[in-house]
Amino acid sequence: MTLTLKSGAVVKRALALGACVLGGLIAHETSAARADETCNSPFMSGLIKGQEHYLHVWTLGEKGVGDESDKLVTIDVIPGSATYGKVIHTLSVGGRGEAHHMGFTDDRKYLWAGRLDDSKIFIFDVGSDPAKPALVKTIDNLAETTGYVGPHTFYALPGRMLVQALSNKKDHGGVTGLITYNNAGDLVATTPMPVGDGGDGYGYDIAINPGQNRMLTSSFTGWTNYMMDAAQLMQDSAAMKNFGGTMVLWDLKAMTPVKIFSVPGAPLEIRWALKPGANWAITASALTSKLYLIREDGDGQWRAKPVADVGDASKIPLPVDISISADASSLWVNTFMDGTARLFDLSDPEAPKQVYAKKIGAQVNMVSQSWDGKRVYFTSSLLANWDKKGADNEQFLKGYSWDGKELKEAFVVDFHKEGLGRAHHMKFTARAQKAELP
Amino acid sequence: MIRRKEAKDGRARFAAPVAAALLALAPLAPPQAAEHGAAATNLPAPGTYVLQKIQRVPDATLLDEAAAPVKISAYTRGAVTALGFFYGHCADPTGCPVAWSVFEAAREAARRDPLLASRLRLVFVSLDPARDTPSTLRLLKSNENGDDGHAPWSFLTGASEREVTPLLRAMGQDVAYEIDDSGRRSGAINHMLKVFLIDPDGWVREIYSTAFLTPESLLNDARTLARAFPNASSRLVEP
């Protein structure tokens, strides 16, 4: 059914309201956000494509480093600021529970952050004063109330937070589910990952295309594996079989699987092309070192297919985080083992081509770029027991400028020297508006 | 950016000739589709899915168009209700105009749909009680409602901003008042467009933001709730 919006009623209302509804456009912002990455939920209202002011890093406490506690670290990234590139705030949450990923609520005022070991979820107020986040709530009963553990991805829906877990309470394997909370932190629903029709029941990331009513999820591994020492895991052939090899296309409204794709080798982060009219998403498979394209073909069928190698797969470079440009023309891909950031040209998403590479450090995991693509930030930690050992266990946040040709280092925060820990997920905020609800 | 001139007293003027003249000078831009706001496709058939119980609608005392105090529960119980927050001065093309147009289109379709005609209710609550007075609401109500009583559209406001604030907080309706260079409010209220679909028991079952607020998605979900609540009725019960 197609409905045509009436405009006649606008005139009627104008006559009723007089000056109330007259005038041209007021281009005011519909949210307090002033800076966005390219990987946030599309349900976050009113993306603003400006300069980020603060970078928040969800940081794993590390034995022998500072207070040894997981913490939210805030760095000033305002150009010209006296404290540019410096830590301006830290908020320790107590203990070490494998701090991992974060996500904003739809109004961007709160940042949810999860721990993969003890499954605690911390909700930080970043709206009141983004330079000084405050912990306002801790959810510590995820396993008891849902049966799932390892809250990984936090993805905003209107008034809700959709959480992808990695594992389950019963056997700590990879079969898991999705959890929906409302923004107050009350449990709304649980949704198991599909185990029939080729589904392995595993989960990792979430990415939604609202216009299509479609959601994609990917798959990783369970608690037993992600908490195991990496070298021990690699030698355990039975454990190495317990990695996800699927992606799921969902009917978002019904929260039911539509199609299950075979994507071997633990497909991790998923990014939809944000370009208007584009109808595809991309992911990287960690263990098989490939970029996979998920696309609706001309016949109306969704398919997932490998479209590029990331480095030399035989050396297991381990592609981890990816970051797509706002116009879907390029993709940053980090490979953990060689500490390298690679840029792929996505002009033809069916055949991405690596066009640039730069070694960031001995190890590198997360990458976040500004909306305009001119600033790119990297952090080092993958998982506490998977990070490299000894001198290679570099822990940092590095900020770069990108002019389309070269990454130029702008600042480095050494998370060991600063007594912070292992630097993992990053999120941007900006100064809040002064006038809020009375 | 074009700034709208406010009336000196900050209130609406209802002289039609003046309004018409101003309209000619500065026509209101038609609502625009949101960046991601293409009509949602691939929606499951009504009644084949279950909408989650997201949150309860808190109670609050508001004013109706007759300036009588009313409980919001009187407008959010018993029917399938689409509730949105608005303010009359809003001209953000991704804000209130989108909600107006979606409500108008949805209401027009619902009036002709036996499943929804007597079960769907539309409610707009003002974010701007100082300017959206009961007299303004009366005009809006008469403009937006037909004579058949089908899919009625009610307009509510508060006695003051402070009266509405707890409701906004509880519903998760984000609001910020724009400040001009002199430090005073400009009159613009920055808010994230949200429309709440509420079941007859007072549970919010869906929340729409600009990313997917379309008449089709709203009607699809309203039909799903109407099937689940066959006894729903949009008639207001007198207290």
Side-chain angles (χ1 to χ4, degrees):
Chain A
M1 178 178 61
T2 303
L3 293 167
T4 306
L5 301 183
K6 295 189 303 175
S7 57
V10 172
V11 177
K12 284 198 295 178
R13 283 201 306 277
L15 292 171
L17 288 167
C20 273
V21 294
L22 300 177
L25 304 186
I26 293 183
H28 65 257
E29 297 161 9
T30 51
S31 84
R34 292 182 193 277
D36 280 294
E37 297 164 80
T38 57
C39 63
N40 285 311
S41 161
F43 294 104
M44 237 175 56
S45 183
L47 288 176
I48 306 301
K49 296 136 190 181
Q51 169 70 48
E52 59 280 5
H53 292 164
Y54 308 109
L55 200 60
H56 306 282
V57 184
W58 190 215
T59 303
L60 294 78
E62 194 171 1
K63 210 165 171 54
V65 178
D67 67 3
E68 302 185 335
S69 163
D70 296 339
K71 56 183 68 70
L72 187 65
V73 176
T74 301
I75 290 97
D76 175 354
V77 291
I78 305 166
S81 166
T83 51
Y84 175 77
K86 307 289 185 199
V87 175
I88 57 170
H89 189 260
T90 64
L91 177 50
S92 293
V93 295
R96 291 191 299 278
E98 198 67 41
H100 203 76
H101 280 204
M102 307 186 282
F104 289 107
T105 49
D106 60 342
D107 61 5
R108 208 196 175 91
K109 290 185 177 295
Y110 297 92
L111 192 53
W112 290 43
R115 299 206 299 203
L116 297 182
D117 186 10
D118 63 8
S119 295
K120 285 186 177 177
I121 297 170
F122 302 91
I123 303 176
F124 297 100
D125 175 358
V126 292
S128 299
D129 184 354
K132 295 177 185 169
L135 179 64
V136 293
K137 188 181 176 94
T138 303
I139 298 172
D140 58 6
N141 60 356
L142 179 83
E144 292 80 359
T145 53
T146 70
Y148 301 130
V149 299
H152 180 272
T153 293
F154 296 87
Y155 205 87
L157 297 173
R160 282 155 289 168
M161 184 64 79
L162 186 60
V163 181
Q164 173 71 71
L166 295 183
S167 190
N168 69 80
K169 182 185 169 189
K170 193 175 169 185
D171 67 3
H172 278 186
V175 175
T176 190
L178 293 151
I179 305 116
T180 309
Y181 289 97
N182 65 23
N183 280 356
D186 303 322
L187 180 64
V188 171
T190 58
T191 309
M193 306 305 285
V195 289
D197 298 324
D200 53 21
Y202 284 40
Y204 180 80
D205 200 19
I206 298 166
I208 290 173
N209 181 332
Q212 287 276 330
N213 185 39
R214 289 294 178 257
M215 174 171 75
L216 283 167
T217 55
S218 52
S219 55
F220 180 43
T221 195
W223 185 96
T224 302
N225 276 6
Y226 66 68
M227 292 303 295
M228 198 186 296
D229 178 80
Q232 184 187 337
L233 176 63
M234 293 288 185
Q235 291 163 11
D236 186 334
S237 58
M240 287 302 291
K241 288 175 184 167
N242 297 327
F243 279 89
T246 61
M247 292 181 72
V248 183
L249 181 73
W250 299 75
D251 179 321
L252 173 66
K253 179 66 72 175
M255 287 296 280
T256 53
V258 172
K259 192 165 186 176
I260 296 164
F261 306 109
S262 173
V263 182
L268 300 182
E269 268 71 19
I270 313 163
R271 303 289 178 249
W272 283 103
L274 300 170
K275 188 171 56 176
N279 210 15
W280 52 269
I282 198 155
T283 190
S285 57
L287 301 180
T288 50
S289 295
K290 291 187 186 301
L291 294 180
Y292 272 80
L293 179 72
I294 303 92
R295 189 174 203 168
E296 188 178 29
D297 288 334
D299 59 1
Q301 290 297 308
W302 286 88
R303 294 183 178 88
K305 51 189 166 187
V307 288
D309 290 329
V310 181
D312 181 351
S314 68
K315 295 179 181 169
I316 315 182
L318 207 64
V320 279
D321 197 20
I322 59 177
S323 178
I324 196 167
S325 64
D327 63 0
S329 67
S330 64
L331 183 79
W332 288 104
V333 182
N334 283 352
T335 42
F336 181 78
M337 296 307 288
D338 58 8
T340 298
R342 303 158 186 271
L343 186 70
F344 282 80
D345 180 342
L346 291 182
S347 302
D348 178 5
E350 301 272 352
K353 290 181 177 60
Q354 184 178 314
V355 292
Y356 178 81
K358 185 181 182 75
K359 190 171 178 72
I360 304 298
Q363 57 187 3
V364 68
N365 181 26
M366 302 305 289
V367 51
S368 293
Q369 68 179 306
S370 57
W371 188 269
D372 61 11
K374 292 179 179 173
R375 296 167 304 285
V376 193
Y377 303 93
F378 298 95
T379 52
S380 44
S381 180
L382 178 54
L383 287 157
N385 292 324
W386 289 24
D387 284 355
K388 294 182 178 179
K389 307 289 194 287
D392 282 348
N393 183 30
E394 295 176 353
Q395 294 297 341
F396 56 75
L397 161 69
K398 294 186 179 184
Y400 291 83
S401 64
W402 171 250
D403 61 3
K405 294 177 182 172
E406 184 64 32
L407 281 175
K408 294 195 177 99
E409 192 178 281
F411 70 86
V412 178
V413 178
D414 184 326
F415 270 53
H416 279 160
K417 205 175 278 183
E418 299 291 331
L420 299 168
R422 304 174 185 270
H424 198 104
H425 204 196
M426 297 168 275
K427 285 292 171 189
F428 303 159
T429 57
R431 288 172 183 147
Q433 299 200 62
K434 300 293 181 212
E436 302 288 341
L437 285 172
Chain B
M1 184 163 74
I2 302 167
R3 294 235 174 252
R4 184 181 35 238
K5 280 187 177 178
E6 301 289 351
K8 278 185 181 175
D9 61 0
R11 294 189 175 263
R13 298 178 184 275
F14 300 107
V18 175
L22 287 168
L23 267 175
L25 289 171
L28 188 72
Q32 295 178 1
E35 200 169 348
H36 298 279
T41 55
N42 300 318
L43 291 170
T48 64
Y49 60 99
V50 177
L51 292 162
Q52 296 170 346
K53 291 183 177 179
I54 300 168
Q55 63 194 57
R56 281 204 166 276
V57 179
D59 217 349
T61 301
L62 299 169
L63 298 179
D64 68 9
E65 75 281 354
V70 291
K71 293 278 190 190
I72 195 173
S73 55
Y75 290 79
T76 56
R77 293 293 179 95
V80 174
T81 306
L83 182 147
F85 293 95
F86 85 109
Y87 73 110
H89 284 65
C90 181
D92 175 358
T94 64
C96 300
V98 173
W100 279 106
S101 296
V102 168
F103 270 44
E104 285 169 346
R107 183 175 176 276
E108 198 56 38
R111 286 177 58 224
R112 298 191 305 268
D113 181 344
L115 182 63
L116 293 180
S118 63
R119 294 184 179 90
L120 179 66
R121 182 188 297 144
L122 306 171
V123 180
F124 257 19
V125 178
S126 173
L127 298 166
D128 193 5
R131 294 183 291 185
D132 294 334
T133 60
S135 61
T136 303
L137 302 189
R138 275 200 298 279
L139 290 163
L140 295 172
K141 185 179 177 182
S142 67
N143 272 332
E144 298 294 354
N145 283 275
D147 300 327
D148 54 13
H150 289 166
W153 190 344
S154 303
F155 292 82
L156 302 172
T157 190
S160 69
E161 213 168 76
R162 204 161 286 279
E163 296 279 305
V164 179
T165 294
L167 175 65
L168 300 181
R169 282 194 197 283
M171 294 293 282
Q173 176 62 66
D174 186 42
V175 169
Y177 302 93
E178 190 181 86
I179 302 298
D180 63 19
D181 294 339
S182 65
R184 287 191 295 268
R185 286 193 189 179
S186 69
I189 302 174
N190 297 342
H191 65 290
M192 215 172 116
L193 173 64
K194 281 186 177 178
V195 168
F196 301 82
L197 186 67
I198 302 160
D199 75 17
D201 293 336
W203 278 98
V204 174
R205 303 295 292 269
E206 186 56 284
I207 304 172
Y208 307 90
S209 62
T210 313
F212 77 134
L213 175 61
T214 63
E216 293 86 352
S217 58
L218 180 62
L219 288 164
N220 208 67
D221 293 341
R223 290 184 178 111
T224 294
L225 287 184
R227 286 169 185 266
F229 292 89
N231 296 326
S233 169
S234 59
R235 274 183 307 163
L236 281 179
V237 179
E238 294 298 325

